[in-house]
Amino acid sequence: MQCNHHSCLHVVPLFRNLDAEQMQAITAITHERHFTKGQLIYYAGEESGSLIVVHTGNVKVYRLDSEGEQQVMRVITPGEFTGELALFSREPVQDFAQALSDCELCMIDGEEMRSIMVQYPTIALTITQELSRRLSRSDASLHGIAKGTVEQRLAGYLVQLQQKVKNNQIQLPVTKGTVASLLAMSQETLSRRLKILQDEGVIEMGKGRKITILDAEALQMRTLQ
């Protein structure tokens, strides 16, 4: 089914600066898909990749380690995207994407998008520039996970959530188990560290996944190497 959520493409950094003609070309090849909570959207080894933009709901992207355990790479929220490598390569997908809730996605077939980029070279340039910025951010994030302590990784994640909503009232977008995997720690360690931050007056845990940042400066200081 052709996507009716054309507005979601305008908020994606990949397409934000395209002109009306270029956006129309992309809209014409965008299709809407619905997935239920827990449903796999794509899987490692799948050959036909698509660029996926989340319209509603949350999606986790993960890989399996040598023991078959999930390692969450990132959580995609409304307005964000995954599957961008399908725009440049026909290689099989290397990770998994799974719906964390019922969600609506805007999907762009990689083969069709490559044809669009040949027709409109400026689209290819814009996409390449944005993906370069994303890669740089990913490298910084991976460096933080590899080098940072448990406390630094957790503090950095909470600071990112606060900056995203521009409010001291934040909410974990996914379960604590998923957050723990994303930050390369156990769920028990995550819960213990959250309690320590609360006991020190830096945050206050609310009901469910709600968290109030009581001392933003102290939290920021805990992100420093």
Side-chain angles (χ1 to χ4, degrees):
M1 179 171 58
Q2 190 165 1
C3 182
N4 293 317
H5 303 133
H6 300 161
S7 60
C8 73
L9 298 182
H10 289 273
V11 301
V12 179
L14 284 177
F15 307 129
R16 189 174 294 154
N17 297 318
L18 300 183
D19 62 32
E21 180 182 354
Q22 294 167 342
M23 184 63 74
Q24 179 57 41
I26 294 175
T27 298
I29 62 170
T30 303
H31 301 276
E32 176 186 337
R33 290 285 305 277
H34 299 262
F35 290 86
T36 58
K37 181 179 179 179
Q39 187 176 359
L40 275 180
I41 298 165
Y42 62 76
Y43 55 87
E46 189 174 278
E47 294 186 0
S48 57
S50 297
L51 176 71
I52 298 169
V53 179
V54 177
H55 181 64
T56 63
N58 296 313
V59 172
K60 72 174 176 180
V61 178
Y62 66 91
R63 293 187 178 182
L64 299 179
D65 63 21
S66 59
E67 298 180 351
E69 296 293 326
Q70 288 188 17
Q71 177 57 60
V72 179
M73 300 167 63
R74 57 187 181 275
V75 174
I76 313 300
T77 58
E80 297 178 335
F81 63 92
T82 187
E84 62 275 11
L85 292 183
L87 303 182
F88 300 97
S89 172
R90 295 181 176 85
E91 293 295 319
V93 178
Q94 298 182 8
D95 46 40
F96 298 79
Q98 184 179 30
L100 289 173
S101 61
D102 291 351
C103 56
E104 297 178 346
L105 309 178
C106 302
M107 306 185 72
I108 305 173
D109 179 76
E111 189 72 34
E112 292 183 299
M113 189 62 193
R114 284 192 291 273
S115 297
I116 292 291
M117 289 191 293
V118 170
Q119 183 179 359
Y120 298 97
T122 53
I123 293 181
L125 177 60
T126 299
I127 289 175
T128 300
Q129 291 172 336
E130 176 56 34
L131 291 182
S132 295
R133 286 189 286 268
R134 175 166 173 160
L135 180 60
S136 178
R137 292 192 297 268
S138 296
D139 285 345
S141 177
L142 288 173
H143 175 78
I145 290 177
K147 299 296 184 180
T149 65
V150 167
E151 182 181 45
Q152 288 166 340
R153 297 200 298 271
L154 175 57
Y157 180 72
L158 295 178
V159 167
Q160 287 179 2
L161 290 180
Q162 181 190 28
Q163 291 174 342
K164 190 173 183 178
V165 299
K166 297 179 175 59
N167 195 305
N168 286 343
Q169 304 286 334
I170 64 176
Q171 181 165 319
L172 299 179
V174 290
T175 65
K176 287 183 179 179
T178 300
V179 172
S181 180
L182 185 64
L183 299 178
M185 64 181 72
S186 68
Q187 186 171 342
E188 292 75 15
T189 297
L190 174 65
S191 296
R192 184 166 59 250
R193 288 294 172 174
L194 286 171
K195 186 177 186 305
I196 289 173
L197 288 175
Q198 178 169 261
D199 292 344
E200 293 177 348
V202 178
I203 66 171
E204 181 179 355
M205 302 293 294
K207 292 184 178 179
R209 304 173 186 168
K210 294 181 179 180
I211 297 176
T212 301
I213 308 296
L214 300 177
D215 191 337
E217 184 176 352
L219 188 64
Q220 181 68 51
M221 289 295 296
R222 282 165 170 76
T223 68
L224 301 178
Q225 298 285 350

